[in-house]
Amino acid sequence: MVDQFPDGFLWGAATAAHQVEGGNVNADMWAAEWAPGSRFAEPSGDACDHYHRYPEDIATLAGLGLNAYRFGVEWARIEPEEGYFSRAALDHYRRMVGTCLEHGVTPVVTYNHFTTPRWFAAAGGWNGTAAVDRFARYAARLTEHIGDLVPWVCTFNEPNVISLMVHLGLIPAAAREDGLGLSGDTDSQAAQSGGSWPAADVAVMAAAHRKAVEAIKSGPGNPAVGWTLALIDLQPADGGEQRWTATRQAAELDWLDVSRDDDFVGVQTYTRERIGPDGVLPVPEGVATTQTGWEIYPQALGHTVRLAAEHTRVPVLVTENGIATADDDARIAYTAAALEGLAGCVADGVDVRGYLHWSLLDNFEWTSGFAMTFGLIAVDRTTFARTVKPSARRLGEIARAGRLP
Ligand SMILES: O=C(O)[C@H](O)[C@@H](O)[C@H](O)[C@H](O)CO
């Protein structure tokens, strides 16, 4: 069994601003959580209060033996009103980066993880005329303030997520048109779940990404820049070859094409979907699934990392991988099997730079609320007290050893 990882490999965990910080009142998503008929199981509210407790959480991550932390910056805090940039918020995120560096933890910073300021969503979101310039201006202003300290920047988290859900038939094609801007079209599922999720059109998101990369590259520091992609391990089932080819091309390969001009591609994988002639096949009876109803299929990661590397020819960073479960032994087994697949990639010469587990904390899983527990650390929903799970210690041991047990 191959089990070795290269020196300097990034071992860590990931979070997103809206899912852990709390009190994100200027975000489009916040409004949608409280809207009548909202699709959210519950509002994010204080989430994990990470906005205040990040020093403790980063210290815990470092104490476990992990050396990297992927977190998101909340645009709605940085630019609560169009053209007005909050110095206090910029300073907050510079302190977060500083806290990572103090603990010898490499910060991997995501500039946009689904949520946007209300004013941006109200202006049509990603299909709004000035979306590209607005995002680039925000990226430039943020880079000016933290760029000198940040070695890894993800412009977008899963810009292909809506495209993937549309092509897998998980949300209505209508989402393709309105780009989930606040078009007032409350019928479309995603519109009810609020805000401006990424546009389904790769060209729209690629344009915003490319202009942001230029802004970041012309700022202080010399970060590696890329975006992260939701890569489900799509597999053709009997008679599904044609549909599989079309789905993979539109929802994954077209987006990977964009990464060819980047410093790296962030791979985010949890499971597989089998594509039959009429679409996604249900998980067979008796096959183990997660709290989210996904098949427990850790082998998916090795498959998608190989796909991303072969298709882009750029280094791969695993920016998300994990399992929603209350059974922490299942999390330990899942992570070990996923890492085995990743070690196989490394042994075959695939340029993999790191593994960031989703998630550092049990957190706000969007419309599912807090019921889905992906965390290496449990969070008491009343006191916010943190409890480190055995899976966190196990990942720390693997990180320290740089190899699988
Ligand atoms: O994929 C996403 O939607 C995000 O990147 C995360 O925000 C999720 O919480 C995670 O993937 C588990 O679903």
Side-chain angles (χ1 to χ4, degrees):
M1 176 178 83
V2 285
D3 57 9
Q4 191 68 39
F5 291 90
D7 294 344
F9 195 79
L10 295 180
W11 291 101
T15 63
H18 191 73
Q19 296 181 266
V20 296
E21 290 183 343
N24 195 16
V25 297
N26 286 313
D28 51 290
M29 198 81 69
W30 180 275
E33 293 163 16
W34 294 91
S38 168
R39 296 191 58 79
F40 287 81
E42 57 192 320
S44 55
D46 291 329
C48 308
D49 190 30
H50 185 66
Y51 193 78
H52 302 105
R53 295 164 188 259
Y54 69 85
E56 169 195 350
D57 295 331
I58 294 171
T60 302
L61 178 146
L64 289 166
L66 300 178
N67 63 22
Y69 178 39
R70 175 184 172 223
F71 65 91
V73 170
E74 183 52 58
W75 186 4
R77 292 181 194 279
I78 300 288
E79 194 180 359
E81 295 302 334
E82 178 158 21
Y84 163 69
F85 290 90
S86 160
R87 174 60 191 250
L90 287 162
D91 286 348
H92 168 83
Y93 289 107
R94 188 172 176 86
R95 284 193 297 275
M96 277 191 78
V97 171
T99 302
C100 287
L101 299 175
E102 276 161 30
H103 289 281
V105 169
T106 298
V108 177
V109 178
T110 309
Y111 279 24
N112 177 262
H113 195 128
F114 298 156
T115 47
T116 63
R118 282 190 205 197
W119 60 264
F120 178 83
W126 294 106
N127 281 302
T129 46
V132 168
D133 296 336
R134 285 171 171 146
F135 184 61
R137 178 184 58 193
Y138 152 68
R141 187 71 189 80
L142 178 57
T143 304
E144 213 176 284
H145 209 73
I146 67 172
D148 58 318
L149 297 178
V150 177
W152 294 85
V153 171
C154 310
T155 58
F156 283 107
N157 174 81
E158 297 189 351
N160 69 319
V161 71
I162 299 299
S163 171
L164 200 50
M165 292 206 282
V166 166
H167 285 96
L168 291 176
L170 301 175
I171 59 173
R176 193 193 308 272
E177 276 78 40
D178 73 8
L180 307 178
L182 285 178
S183 64
D185 168 2
T186 56
D187 293 339
S188 96
Q189 185 180 8
Q192 280 178 10
S193 67
S196 53
W197 295 72
D201 182 343
V202 63
V204 169
M205 300 312 290
H209 169 67
R210 197 52 58 212
K211 188 142 189 194
V213 171
E214 283 157 24
I216 295 163
K217 291 282 184 183
S218 53
N222 181 27
V225 186
W227 64 7
T228 81
L229 293 177
L231 295 182
I232 297 177
D233 182 9
L234 301 176
Q235 301 178 353
D238 300 352
E241 290 70 17
Q242 207 182 348
R243 188 160 186 140
W244 168 76
T245 304
T247 300
R248 194 168 74 139
Q249 186 64 49
E252 297 191 343
L253 301 184
D254 288 353
W255 300 78
L256 282 167
D257 287 349
V258 176
S259 295
R260 287 187 174 145
D261 303 325
D262 291 336
D263 301 319
F264 73 96
V265 59
V267 168
Q268 312 208 148
T269 294
Y270 294 84
T271 188
R272 68 172 169 181
E273 292 282 7
R274 294 167 309 120
I275 313 286
D278 307 319
V280 172
L281 299 181
V283 177
E285 266 318 295
V287 169
T289 57
T290 69
Q291 291 170 330
T292 47
W294 303 343
E295 180 181 354
I296 296 181
Y297 188 75
Q299 306 88 319
L301 183 63
H303 299 161
T304 56
V305 165
R306 289 175 193 279
L307 172 74
E310 279 152 24
H311 198 79
T312 65
R313 301 273 166 238
V314 301
V316 169
L317 179 62
V318 176
T319 43
E320 283 187 23
N321 172 252
I323 179 172
T325 181
D327 174 355
D328 198 52
D329 289 338
R331 179 171 290 106
I332 290 172
Y334 176 96
T335 307
L339 288 173
E340 215 176 291
L342 198 60
C345 295
V346 170
D348 295 344
V350 177
D351 184 353
V352 187
R353 301 298 177 82
Y355 174 86
L356 307 172
H357 192 88
W358 185 271
S359 179
L360 177 65
L361 304 168
D362 287 340
N363 64 59
F364 179 71
E365 180 56 21
W366 309 113
T367 49
S368 308
F370 294 95
M372 308 290 157
T373 51
F374 281 93
L376 293 168
I377 299 172
V379 178
D380 182 291
R381 299 288 337 127
T382 312
T383 65
F384 304 118
R386 272 75 167 140
T387 305
V388 172
K389 302 177 187 178
S391 55
R393 300 188 199 293
R394 178 64 62 84
L395 184 60
E397 287 156 16
I398 294 169
R400 284 198 177 96
R403 60 179 322 129
L404 294 172

